[in-house]
Amino acid sequence: MKPRLVIGAAVLLLSACSQAAPPSSNVASLQSSGAVAPSSGTAAPAGDQPRLRMDMTDEEKQRLYDAHTACLAEKDPNATGTGAGPAGRRQYNDEAWRLCAKTWPLPPWEMDSSNPTFADNWHRNVKCLNSRGMKVIETEPGSWTYDGEQTLPHEQRATIEKECEQEVFGGGRR
C-alpha cells in the first residue's frame, strides 16, 4: 500500500470515529474540582439562563451574579452601577437590563415558584423555622416576616434558616 493512501485511510478512519463536541452551555455546573464552569459569553442564548443550586457555595453564586454585572457594564459602560451613585449620574439603562436579563441566575429549582411543590415546601420551611425557635409568619409562598421581637441572635437565625432550607428543600443537584 502506498504511504499517501495509508495516511489518507488513517485520517478518514479517525474522523469517522470522532464525536462532535457537545454544544457549550452557560448553565453553571459543579465540576469535580468544585468550581463553577465559566460561561462562554456575556449573553446567554434563550433557554440557557443560569440556575443556582441548593448546594452551591457563596463564592460559586457570586461568580454567577458577577457575570450578570459584567454584562450590564459591557452593555452600558457609562453607567454608575446598581448602587446609589453621585447626583446626576445614571444607573444601568433599561436596554442593558433587557439585554442581560438571561444572565441573571434563576433560583434553585427547589425554591423556584414555578416548581409545583414549592408552595407546600415553603409552608413546611416556615414550620421548621418556628419549631427551632424563630418567630416567623408566612406571608405568601416564598416570603415570611418576623412575628414579634426575636430572642435568637442573628448568627443562630441564619444557621436555622440554612438548616431548614436544606432539610425541607434538599441539597441535591438537579
Side-chain angles (χ1 to χ4, degrees):
M1 207 176 217
K2 294 184 178 182
R4 280 194 268 179
L5 190 54
V6 171
I7 293 171
V11 169
L12 183 60
L13 182 61
L14 288 174
S15 66
C17 293
S18 68
Q19 293 180 329
S24 72
S25 172
N26 288 345
V27 176
S29 62
L30 190 61
Q31 306 297 312
S32 60
S33 67
V36 175
S39 80
S40 61
T42 55
D48 282 346
Q49 190 166 357
R51 181 174 293 279
L52 300 173
R53 292 187 328 273
M54 295 290 295
D55 63 346
M56 285 180 122
T57 65
D58 290 340
E59 292 80 19
E60 290 171 324
K61 292 176 189 176
Q62 191 59 50
R63 279 187 227 133
L64 294 178
Y65 291 118
D66 288 347
H68 177 71
T69 301
C71 178
L72 291 170
E74 176 187 314
K75 302 300 182 194
D76 189 5
N78 297 321
T80 59
T82 56
R89 302 285 307 270
R90 64 187 174 91
Q91 301 296 306
Y92 295 117
N93 64 37
D94 291 342
E95 180 69 4
W97 283 104
R98 187 185 65 71
L99 292 171
C100 296
K102 287 288 188 179
T103 65
W104 180 256
L106 295 169
W109 175 245
E110 297 88 348
M111 298 185 79
D112 191 321
S113 60
S114 59
N115 179 339
T117 64
F118 174 73
D120 289 337
N121 286 341
W122 186 259
H123 181 70
R124 288 181 40 227
N125 181 58
V126 170
K127 287 175 70 173
C128 178
L129 296 172
N130 282 304
S131 74
R132 297 189 184 188
M134 290 181 64
K135 301 172 187 174
V136 297
I137 300 170
E138 182 176 357
T139 55
E140 62 185 68
S143 182
W144 55 260
T145 188
Y146 289 111
D147 183 19
E149 188 175 332
Q150 294 299 302
T151 57
L152 301 174
H154 173 73
E155 296 79 22
Q156 188 176 358
R157 292 192 313 259
T159 299
I160 291 170
E161 283 183 64
K162 191 168 193 164
E163 289 172 353
C164 284
E165 285 177 1
Q166 291 294 320
E167 182 180 310
V168 172
F169 295 101
R173 297 180 188 139
R174 178 170 159 82

